[in-house]
Amino acid sequence: MDVDVVALGESMVTFLPSRPGRLADVPSFDRAIGGAESNVACALAAFGHTARWVSRVGADGFGDHLLERIAGYGVDVTAVHRDPARPTGVYFRTAGDRGTGAHEVAYYRAGSAASAMSVTNVDLAAARSARVLHLTGITAALSEECRELLHTLTAPVPGRPLVSFDVNHRPGLWRDGEGAQLLLDLARRADIVFVGADEAEQAWDVTGGPEAIRRVLPEPAVLVVKQGAQGATAFARPLPAVGRAARSADVPEKGGAPSAPDRVADSRPGATPPVFVPALCTAVVATTGAGDAFAAGFLSATLRGLTVRDRLRHGHLFAAAALTTPGDLAAPPARCLADRLAALDDGAWGRLRLGPGWTQAEQAEEEANIP
């Protein structure tokens, strides 16, 4: 395999407001980058893994900016194609968090270069040459061509890398809720799935907690249910060997709920009891990008062969780095610090208090309040 992780999806130039207020009132913006998949690739590369971003950008200055910034994190961008006929996507957002009614986001991504990704213009070999291929439901919402691409990349064929799929349900990108079943189909074809409990309720009308979500998604070897400020629960059984396709019997092609309750993965050979790890107490600056950071931390620990508990803890630590910075993308903590914090006993973990700057080496001891 060429790299540890390939992340495929659209990235955009992000404009962050210079001060709080409505978009109509903000006088100026600072330029940054944003994209769920490239956020994961950048965080993993900054943490010492080899990562590649596969996408398309316009042959314009914003495309130049994205490539330069993402490559600056150590990510391989050689499989990103330039489209001379379509622009790079951009978006503007207000300073408020997405969870508030005052938050505004203005996307200018219709007809973007990335929305034209397809099986014919994406380097499929580069996408598959990794231990893990990370995808999200956002890509599926961009176009029919993108949906076909994800269907191809998640197909259970020989030599397929482990597929990581973050559901990332964004209702505003879909027409009349059409994406719910498609996202469920894609999640069932993946090896590792990330989904928020709120997403599962909104998209699939699943209530009753992580166990209920697992009953709907028994196929993935690893299912991570994010429960907001409470924490996250992981259901896990051994992952298939890298490069070995998922068994077609385990992956329904299209539609339909599990036919019987005994398909819940907890009863399958090698499955372990679900593991819950509480989230950290964090002084939140902005929530944007925290889910991507969590996925990066969990995948990093998975690549390193750590326990399920420590995979979740690394996810929370990466998310805390994103939560305590204003942009979409935050550098993760140093590996030595992350490992030390992840190894704390449950009491010490619960007493951690993380604020802005805690990942900086010179402030880490003081800001993390390490017992």
Side-chain angles (χ1 to χ4, degrees), residues 357-371:
W358 74 271
T359 60
Q360 298 175 22
E362 65 274 14
Q363 299 179 25
E365 293 285 346
E366 178 182 352
E367 294 292 338
N369 289 328
I370 300 172

Side-chain angles (χ1 to χ4, degrees), residues 1-357:
M1 300 298 173
D2 288 352
V3 293
D4 292 333
V5 175
V6 165
L8 180 148
E10 180 173 35
S11 294
M12 294 176 288
V13 172
T14 309
F15 289 94
L16 307 174
S18 56
R19 63 174 174 80
R22 302 184 309 154
L23 285 178
D25 301 327
V26 174
S28 60
F29 295 82
D30 295 320
R31 186 178 60 177
I33 63 174
E37 300 84 3
S38 61
N39 285 350
V40 171
C42 289
L44 285 166
F47 203 66
H49 296 282
T50 53
R52 172 182 299 132
W53 175 48
V54 176
S55 189
R56 291 174 66 83
V57 298
D60 49 32
F62 289 146
D64 294 340
H65 180 65
L66 282 174
L67 290 173
E68 291 167 6
R69 284 291 308 279
I70 293 171
Y73 280 86
V75 176
D76 175 5
V77 297
T78 57
V80 178
H81 293 177
R82 308 299 296 267
D83 189 329
R86 298 178 179 86
T88 304
V90 301
Y91 77 97
F92 297 77
R93 68 176 175 87
T94 53
D97 287 340
R98 283 179 176 162
T100 67
H103 184 75
E104 297 175 75
V105 180
Y107 288 105
Y108 298 91
R109 71 195 311 176
S112 69
S115 69
M117 286 188 295
S118 71
V119 293
T120 59
N121 63 24
V122 164
D123 188 339
L124 298 181
R128 291 167 169 152
S129 297
R131 296 171 64 189
V132 175
L133 170 61
H134 181 69
L135 308 167
T136 83
I138 296 172
T139 303
L142 298 181
S143 66
E144 289 288 347
E145 293 80 6
C146 285
R147 288 191 275 281
E148 181 186 2
L149 174 62
L150 291 198
H151 197 262
T152 297
L153 290 172
T154 57
V157 297
R160 189 188 87 170
L162 293 175
V163 172
S164 165
F165 183 70
D166 192 336
V167 172
N168 249 324
H169 180 234
R170 301 286 175 81
L173 296 179
W174 297 95
R175 295 190 304 273
D176 302 322
E178 65 179 351
Q181 185 61 53
L182 191 145
L183 293 175
L184 184 59
D185 293 338
L186 289 170
R188 286 172 168 166
R189 297 160 69 92
D191 300 294
I192 303 169
V193 171
F194 302 92
V195 63
D198 56 343
E199 290 179 301
E201 181 175 1
Q202 186 177 39
W204 307 319
D205 197 27
V206 178
T207 59
E211 290 76 12
I213 298 171
R214 186 52 156 168
R215 283 192 288 273
V216 173
L217 279 171
E219 296 87 0
V222 177
L223 171 67
V224 180
V225 179
K226 297 175 289 183
Q227 297 157 264
Q230 288 181 278
T233 298
F235 299 85
R237 61 180 183 270
L239 286 160
V242 175
R244 187 184 76 199
R247 292 181 300 156
S248 58
D250 288 344
V251 185
E253 276 294 309
K254 287 281 186 180
S259 58
D262 62 1
R263 291 190 66 198
V264 176
D266 295 72
S267 63
R268 296 187 182 190
T272 57
V275 177
F276 172 78
V277 172
L280 292 162
C281 182
T282 306
V284 176
V285 174
T287 59
T288 308
D292 308 328
F294 182 96
F298 190 93
L299 291 175
S300 169
T302 300
L303 288 164
R304 298 169 62 202
L306 303 187
T307 66
V308 175
R309 186 205 73 164
D310 285 357
R311 294 181 218 173
L312 288 168
R313 285 192 169 188
H314 276 77
H316 285 316
L317 288 164
F318 277 48
L323 288 167
T324 52
T325 55
D328 287 21
L329 180 58
R335 185 175 291 199
C336 59
L337 175 61
D339 286 348
R340 186 150 54 91
L341 295 179
L344 293 173
D345 61 47
D346 290 346
W349 176 264
R351 291 192 296 272
L352 283 175
R353 300 293 183 270
L354 304 176

